[in-house]
């Protein structure tokens, strides 16, 4: 049954319309929800990598292996504040060496220099004695236990973390804050990463208003504020947002024009009502249907079509919660594939309040953590954002679900 024909309320401001079959939308066989995710991911080849400065690489995906250009540490360095000593004590203190400087000579047995953490260890040093384990009188320092330290004690040796040329991270790894630090320590000023896929967002609906409350046949646009941060969170670069009139000509012009992008994301117009023009437009463009309808609730009338070898159109339902479900079904895996990442993982965990499965459909309901427990959040009709606004995950309920342990998808 089309989304705008459900008893759960009008879709994103558009009431139930007279059904007018179209070339594909009326007759397409819905795809299993899990299959739809796989098809969307398989569509995409990773975008070519490009070199960017470290500060611009955070959150992106490595386009090539990260390899250390230098040994880490690059020199023998002190792990403690104390004394670098040679031979057995007591030791005569010849001076000091601090981080960023070097001791010019070579220590002989019975000699020492005061040293700070991170400073280069002088040649000839046997070990570093922590300052709290020593006593000093004038230029003489002794160990408190009177014993000679073990060779290499409190010295970080050159390359002990990783030698020059070591593999630090595989291509396809997400660049985290820690990885930026690792890359910098390994001698990199920039990284080869895969850029975020560009996304154009087209919001359809003559009834929508972008300010003030709904009323008198006008409905406040909920997807305009929702989708831009969702696109960014899923790994896309939103390059344009436009509101489009409910006409075939307006939608055709909007799809054909605008900023360059890999993905055109259209809200509404995915069903078979008289104002739903997307299927007819795609037929006219000769688009290749990848997914046309998904056997899930909410979000059944969603679609993915290839507009060429490196460009796709995704149609989301107009109902806000249904659109979020559809974005996680088709947009998330397509963006992941273009970015060189795997399909967003499903994890199994116990969820309280799981409703029964719907025959032939995958049911997706919001759930949130309450302390150590995950429970379904009320309010998950297609037009209702109350539940998902408070949720941490989507619980994925299939007909095979028999207990409270279900697959969950992070929001």
């Amino acid at each position: 049954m089309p989304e705008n024909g459900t008893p759960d309320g009008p879709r994103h401001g558009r009431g139930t319309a007279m059904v007018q079959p179209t070339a594909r939308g009326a007759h397409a066989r819905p795809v299993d929800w899990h299959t739809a995710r796989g098809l969307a991911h398989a569509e995409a080849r990773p975008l070519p990598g490009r070199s960017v400065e470290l500060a611009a690489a955070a959150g992106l995906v490595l386009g090539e292996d990260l390899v250390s250009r230098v040994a880490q540490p690059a020199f023998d360095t002190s792990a403690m504040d104390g004394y670098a000593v040679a031979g057995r004590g007591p030791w005569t203190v010849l001076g000091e060496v601090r981080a960023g400087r070097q001791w010019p000579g070579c220590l002989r047995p019975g000699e020492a220099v005061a040293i700070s953490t991170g400073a280069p260890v002088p040649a000839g040093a046997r070990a570093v004695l922590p300052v709290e384990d020593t006593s000093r009188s004038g230029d003489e320092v002794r160990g408190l236990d009177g014993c000679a330290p073990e060779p290499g004690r409190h010295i970080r040796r050159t390359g002990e973390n990783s030698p020059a040329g070591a593999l630090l991270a595989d291509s396809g790894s997400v660049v985290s804050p820690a990885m930026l630090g690792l890359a910098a320590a390994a001698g990199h000023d920039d990284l080869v990463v895969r850029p975020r896929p560009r996304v154009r967002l087209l919001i359809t609906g003559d009834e929508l208003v972008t300010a003030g409350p709904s009323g008198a046949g006008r409905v406040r646009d909920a997807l305009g504020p929702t989708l831009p941060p969702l696109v960014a969170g899923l790994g896309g670069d939103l390059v344009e947002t436009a509101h489009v009139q409910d006409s075939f000509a307006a939608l055709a012009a909007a799809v054909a024009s605008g900023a360059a992008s890999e993905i055109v994301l259209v809200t509404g117009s995915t069903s078979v009502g008289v104002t739903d023009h997307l299927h007819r437009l795609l037929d006219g463009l000769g688009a290749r249907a990848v997914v046309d309808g998904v056997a899930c609730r909410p979000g059944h009338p969603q679609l993915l079509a290839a507009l060429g070898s490196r460009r796709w159109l995704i149609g989301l339902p107009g109902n806000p919660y249904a659109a979020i479900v559809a974005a996680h079904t088709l947009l998330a895996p397509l963006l992941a594939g273009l970015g060189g990442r795997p399909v967003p993982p499903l994890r199994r965990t116990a969820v309280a309040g799981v409703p029964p499965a719907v025959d032939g459909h995958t049911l997706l309901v919001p759930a949130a953590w309450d302390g150590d427990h995950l429970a379904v959040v009320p309010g998950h009709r297609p037009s209702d954002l109350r539940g998902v606004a408070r949720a941490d995950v989507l619980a994925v309920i299939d007909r095979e679900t028999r207990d409270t342990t279900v697959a969950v998808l992070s929001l």
Side-chain angles (χ1 to χ4, degrees):
M1 186 174 190
E3 192 83 358
N4 61 353
T6 68
D8 297 323
R11 70 175 182 89
H12 196 41
R14 191 170 302 159
T16 303
M18 294 177 60
V19 173
Q20 176 176 303
T22 58
R24 282 185 291 187
H27 308 293
R29 185 181 185 87
V31 176
D32 171 78
W33 182 79
H34 299 273
T35 301
R37 296 177 77 225
L39 289 171
H41 188 264
E43 266 296 296
R45 297 188 305 276
L47 296 175
R50 67 184 183 192
S51 182
V52 301
E53 294 182 354
L54 290 183
L60 299 179
V61 172
L62 288 178
E64 65 181 23
D65 292 344
L66 177 61
V67 175
S68 184
R69 292 181 174 176
V70 295
Q72 296 186 68
F75 49 85
D76 290 356
T77 182
S78 176
M80 302 289 288
D81 292 327
Y83 296 90
V85 299
R88 295 181 173 274
W91 299 274
T92 300
V93 180
L94 302 181
E96 64 180 17
V97 58
R98 302 304 179 198
R101 299 181 181 179
Q102 287 185 305
W103 180 257
C106 178
L107 293 181
R108 295 176 296 180
E111 295 179 340
V113 293
I115 194 167
S116 60
T117 302
V121 175
R126 174 189 180 96
V128 171
L129 282 179
V131 66
E132 60 269 25
D133 293 339
T134 64
S135 64
R136 180 171 176 176
S137 177
D139 290 336
E140 185 179 87
V141 66
R142 296 173 179 268
L144 293 181
D145 59 6
C147 300
E150 297 177 8
R153 184 69 171 165
H154 298 306
I155 294 176
R156 296 192 181 107
R157 295 299 185 187
T158 302
E160 73 172 35
N161 292 346
S162 58
L167 175 64
L168 303 178
D170 294 319
S171 175
S173 302
V174 177
V175 180
S176 65
M179 190 179 294
L180 291 177
L182 178 65
H188 292 271
D189 297 319
D190 47 45
L191 291 174
V192 174
V193 294
R194 302 196 187 281
R196 291 178 179 270
R198 297 165 296 179
V199 180
R200 292 178 60 224
L201 172 60
L202 306 179
I203 300 173
T204 67
D206 290 345
E207 75 281 15
L208 300 180
V209 294
T210 57
S214 303
R218 305 307 297 274
V219 176
R220 179 65 184 268
D221 173 25
L223 289 178
T226 298
L227 289 175
L230 179 57
V231 168
L234 295 177
D237 177 17
L238 188 65
V239 295
E240 181 185 6
T241 299
H243 285 77
V244 182
Q245 292 181 333
D246 273 334
S247 74
F248 181 86
L251 183 59
V255 170
S257 64
S261 64
E262 282 75 38
I263 300 172
V264 180
L265 188 63
V266 180
T267 72
S269 200
T270 57
S271 194
V272 293
V274 294
T275 57
D276 295 312
H277 306 291
L278 196 51
H279 284 96
R280 183 158 65 97
L281 173 61
L282 292 173
D283 286 339
L285 293 174
R288 175 174 55 85
V290 180
V291 174
D292 191 359
V294 178
C296 69
R297 293 186 179 178
H300 165 265
Q302 55 181 291
L303 63 87
L304 168 61
L307 301 179
S309 61
R310 300 292 289 175
R311 193 164 179 253
W312 295 266
L313 186 145
I314 292 177
L316 305 181
N319 274 317
Y321 178 48
I324 290 174
V325 169
H328 282 280
T329 304
L330 296 179
L331 179 62
L334 181 61
L335 287 171
L338 290 170
R341 293 176 283 117
V343 176
L346 296 175
R347 308 184 188 282
R348 297 194 65 83
T349 188
V351 182
V354 174
V358 178
D359 187 37
H361 288 74
T362 296
L363 180 63
L364 295 109
V365 297
W369 288 102
D370 181 8
D372 295 333
H373 303 284
L374 193 62
V376 170
V377 181
H380 45 78
R381 291 182 174 182
S383 61
D384 194 350
L385 290 175
R386 291 176 302 157
V388 71
R390 294 178 289 157
D392 300 303
V393 300
L394 293 178
V396 182
I397 304 164
D398 296 302
R399 61 184 177 183
E400 293 83 6
T401 302
R402 293 290 182 265
D403 53 30
T404 60
T405 301
V406 300
V408 296
L409 178 67
S410 296
L411 286 168

